[in-house]
Amino acid sequence: MTQSSEQVADVYPTRTGGEFLLMPREDFVVHGTADDGPLDGEELEDFTQNGYLTFPEFFTPTEVTALGDELERMATDPEILAQDSTIVDQASHEVRTIFGVHRTSEVFHAVAHDPRLVDRARQILGTDVYIHQSGANTKPGLTGDDVYWHSDFETWHAEDGMPRMRAVSFTIALSDFHSFNSPLMIMPGSHTTYVSCGDIVPTQQEKALLDMHGSGTPSPAALEQLADRHGIEVLEGGPGSAVLFDSNSMHGSGGNISPYPSSTLYFVYNSVENEPVEPYSGQARRPEFLGARDFTPVP
Amino acid sequence: MTQSSEQVADVYPTRTGGEFLLMPREDFVVHGTADDGPLDGEELEDFTQNGYLTFPEFFTPTEVTALGDELERMATDPEILAQDSTIVDQASHEVRTIFGVHRTSEVFHAVAHDPRLVDRARQILGTDVYIHQSGANTKPGLTGDDVYWHSDFETWHAEDGMPRMRAVSFTIALSDFHSFNSPLMIMPGSHTTYVSCGDIVPTQQEKALLDMHGSGTPSPAALEQLADRHGIEVLEGGPGSAVLFDSNSMHGSGGNISPYPSSTLYFVYNSVENEPVEPYSGQARRPEFLGARDFTPVP
C-alpha cells in the first residue's frame, strides 16, 4: 500500500453528489509494533480491532488542575476571545471551543509535545507525526446541544485534503464524564468502514439531518448499519482520563441536560507520510487552526 | 396531616410571580406497610429514601411483544391519529405520544388494572387509587430531543389542581434503554424537596431555559443544588422493565442521537384522598386525557 501526496485517484470519495455508501477501509490501522513501545501487544491489538484505547488516569490530578486553570485563563483573555479560532456561544457569551491551543498556549504546547501522547501516536502511525489540529472544548450543563455522529477523517479528507487514514486523536478529560454529561460515544470497530457522505437525500429524515448538521453527515441507514454491527460504547471517565482514537472512528456525543459542564483538550496527530493535498471537496483550504499546513514533525 | 379537597392554604405555591424556591415536602412518601404487600420492607424503605424503585423483568417478553403490537396498531389507526390526545411530530409525521391509552385500548386498560401495578400503587399511597393520566411515548433515534428536568407534581398541582404529593407513576419499557437512547434519569431523594417554580428570571440562562421549556421549569440553581445533594441515576433497562416513582421526583431524559428509538408506557395513580380541585395556577382545567376528573377507583 503506497501513499502519494499527489492528488490522483481518490480512494475515499465523499460529497460527490452521489449516494451514501459504506466502503472498506484501504489503510492499515496500526503501523508500529509492540517492540516500538510504549503500547504493548494487547493494546495494539485492541486498537486494531476497536479503533480506540482508553487510559483512565493518564494525567495526574495536579496536572489536570493546571490545565483547567490555563483553559480558564484563556477563556477570559480578551486577546484570545477576539480571535477567529475562538468559538463563543451567542446566547451565553461563554467560550465553547478554542482551536489551535498548542500554538497559543505554552502550557498546551507542552501537552501536545508530551511523550505520553506523541510516543503513542508515533507508534500507531509508524512514522514521525505533526499536529493537524488541536483544541479545548467546554460544554455547558442544562442544554441539549449534541455533537452528531461523524468520522473526523471524512471532514479532514474532504475539507483539508488529508489523503489517507493515518491520523489519531488524543482527548484528555478535564472534568468528570458520566453517561449523562455528554461523554464521547464511539462505535468500536467502525474505523474499518468508510462512510462516503452523499448529497442525494431521498428521505425527509435525511434532509432534516443534513439541514441540521451540514455536509459530512452520515445517513441514517449508514449509522443504523454501523451501530448494529459494532454497538455503541459510552466512554465515561474522570478528570485526567484520555482516549486515543483512529481518525475514521464513528463518534459523537449526546446533549447534556445535567447541571454538570464538561471540558476536554484534544490533539490530532497526522503521519508525516500523509501530508494533506488540496481539499478533495474542491473547496478552498480551511484556516491553519482547523487544518494545519505546517507539517514540521513534533521533535 | 389531614388533607382537604377544598382549596384553602396552598402548601406548594408555584408560578406565583415570585422567585424560585426549594421547600421541604409536607407529605408522607409511603403510607402503607410491608404487611400490606406486595412490596417488602426493604423496598418500601428504598422508595421512602430514593423516591423510586426499579423492577428489571416486570413484564414477560411475550407480554411486551403484545404491548408493542398494540402500540403499533394504535399509532397507525386513523381514528387514534385524529384525536387531540395523540401527539404527532410535525416533521416526520410519526406518533410521539398517545395520551389516555387506558381508556382507548382494551390491552392498555388491562395493564392499567393489572394487580402488579395497582397493588403496589395502593400500598404506597395507602388507599384506593384512580388513574390521573396514562400514555404511550415513542422517542425516535438520531435526534437530540430531550425531556428537560421536571417534577410531575409541580405540573399536576399548578395545572390540574392536585392538592398534595400522593401519586405515583409506573413506566414500563417496551424497548431496550441504554444510557445512550434517552433512558429515564432521576435524582434519587429529590422527591423530598419541592421546587417552587418562579416567574422572575434574573439571568439570561434562566430566561433561555424558560423560553425553551415553558412554565414549571426548575431554575438552574435549583437543579444544581438538587443534583449536588442527590446525584443523578440513569435508569437503563430491558424491554419489560419498570420504574415506579413518586410524583415529586426530579426527572428527565436526554436526547437520543443513537439510531435506536425507544418506547414506554406509563400510568399515573393518584390516591382517592387526593382528588384534584381547581388548578392552583388559576388557569382552566386541562383536558381529561391530561388530568382526569373521573375519580372512579380502580376496582
Side-chain angles (χ1 to χ4, degrees), chain B residues 147-152 154-155 216-218 223 248-252:
Chain B
V147 176
Y148 198 69
W149 298 104
H150 64 287
S151 148
D152 289 330
E154 195 277 345
T155 302
T217 302
L223 292 174
N248 190 47
S249 295
M250 189 58 71
H251 66 290

Side-chain angles (χ1 to χ4, degrees), chain B:
Chain B
M1 207 175 309
T2 62
Q3 295 181 350
S4 158
S5 65
E6 286 170 55
Q7 198 149 347
V8 282
D10 179 4
V11 293
Y12 298 121
T14 190
R15 310 186 196 185
T16 55
E19 292 191 53
F20 293 86
L21 291 174
L22 299 191
M23 302 167 62
R25 179 187 182 109
E26 300 284 349
D27 292 293
F28 292 125
V29 178
V30 170
H31 295 254
T33 67
D35 291 342
D36 302 326
L39 296 169
D40 64 27
E42 197 181 323
E43 288 173 312
L44 291 177
E45 180 57 28
D46 272 4
F47 192 90
T48 303
Q49 292 295 321
N50 299 319
Y52 73 94
L53 287 169
T54 56
F55 304 96
E57 290 173 342
F58 204 62
F59 277 61
T60 67
T62 310
E63 288 175 315
V64 172
T65 302
L67 298 174
D69 289 349
E70 174 66 358
L71 178 52
E72 206 170 304
R73 184 196 66 73
M74 291 181 81
T76 51
D77 178 341
E79 204 173 308
I80 300 287
L81 288 170
Q83 290 167 354
D84 286 346
S85 49
T86 301
I87 311 297
V88 176
D89 180 65
Q90 294 301 319
S92 67
H93 306 290
E94 282 170 11
V95 170
R96 290 284 169 269
T97 302
I98 306 174
F99 288 107
V101 290
H102 70 289
R103 298 188 301 136
T104 52
S105 156
E106 277 181 39
V107 175
F108 295 140
H109 182 272
V111 179
H113 290 70
D114 190 306
R116 284 173 288 185
L117 283 70
V118 180
D119 290 349
R120 286 172 172 79
R122 282 198 195 104
Q123 185 183 10
I124 284 178
L125 302 177
T127 61
D128 268 339
V129 297
Y130 74 92
I131 298 166
H132 177 71
Q133 195 188 99
S134 74
N137 288 322
T138 301
K139 291 184 86 177
L142 303 175
T143 72
D145 304 342
D146 53 57
V147 176
Y148 198 69
W149 298 104
H150 64 287
S151 148
D152 289 330
F153 175 74
E154 195 277 345
T155 302
W156 299 335
H157 186 67
E159 302 187 13
D160 297 331
M162 186 182 284
R164 309 292 294 228
M165 297 174 185
R166 199 169 178 178
V168 292
S169 296
F170 248 112
T171 67
I172 297 154
L174 300 184
S175 55
D176 270 311
F177 279 93
H178 305 281
S179 70
F180 52 71
N181 70 333
S182 291
L184 183 62
M185 299 197 294
I186 201 162
M187 298 187 192
S190 59
H191 64 301
T192 61
T193 299
Y194 179 62
V195 180
S196 173
C197 296
D199 296 314
I200 291 173
V201 282
T203 69
Q204 274 295 105
Q205 189 190 16
E206 285 181 14
K207 189 177 175 321
L209 290 168
L210 266 185
D211 286 349
M212 205 164 18
H213 303 294
S215 298
T217 302
S219 69
L223 292 174
E224 280 158 21
Q225 273 191 56
L226 286 183
D228 284 349
R229 202 185 289 166
H230 301 296
I232 294 171
E233 286 295 326
V234 177
L235 304 184
E236 296 183 295
S241 62
V243 183
L244 173 63
F245 62 101
D246 182 89
S247 62
N248 190 47
S249 295
M250 189 58 71
H251 66 290
S253 63
N256 176 16
I257 66 164
S258 92
Y260 303 112
S262 62
S263 48
T264 319
L265 286 179
Y266 71 90
F267 302 93
V268 179
Y269 299 97
N270 189 23
S271 166
V272 293
E273 295 186 7
N274 193 35
E275 286 182 7
V277 291
E278 292 308 310
Y280 288 83
S281 63
Q283 68 197 56
R285 293 178 178 193
R286 299 197 299 174
E288 180 76 16
F289 64 80
L290 290 175
R293 295 285 160 178
D294 175 355
F295 306 132
T296 313
V298 175

Side-chain angles (χ1 to χ4, degrees), chain A residues 142 144 146 148-149 227-228 257 260, chain B residues 144 148-149 209 227-228 257 260:
Chain A
L142 303 173
D146 53 55
Y148 197 69
W149 299 105
D228 284 348
I257 68 164
Y260 302 113
Chain B
Y148 198 69
W149 298 104
L209 290 168
D228 284 349
I257 66 164
Y260 303 112

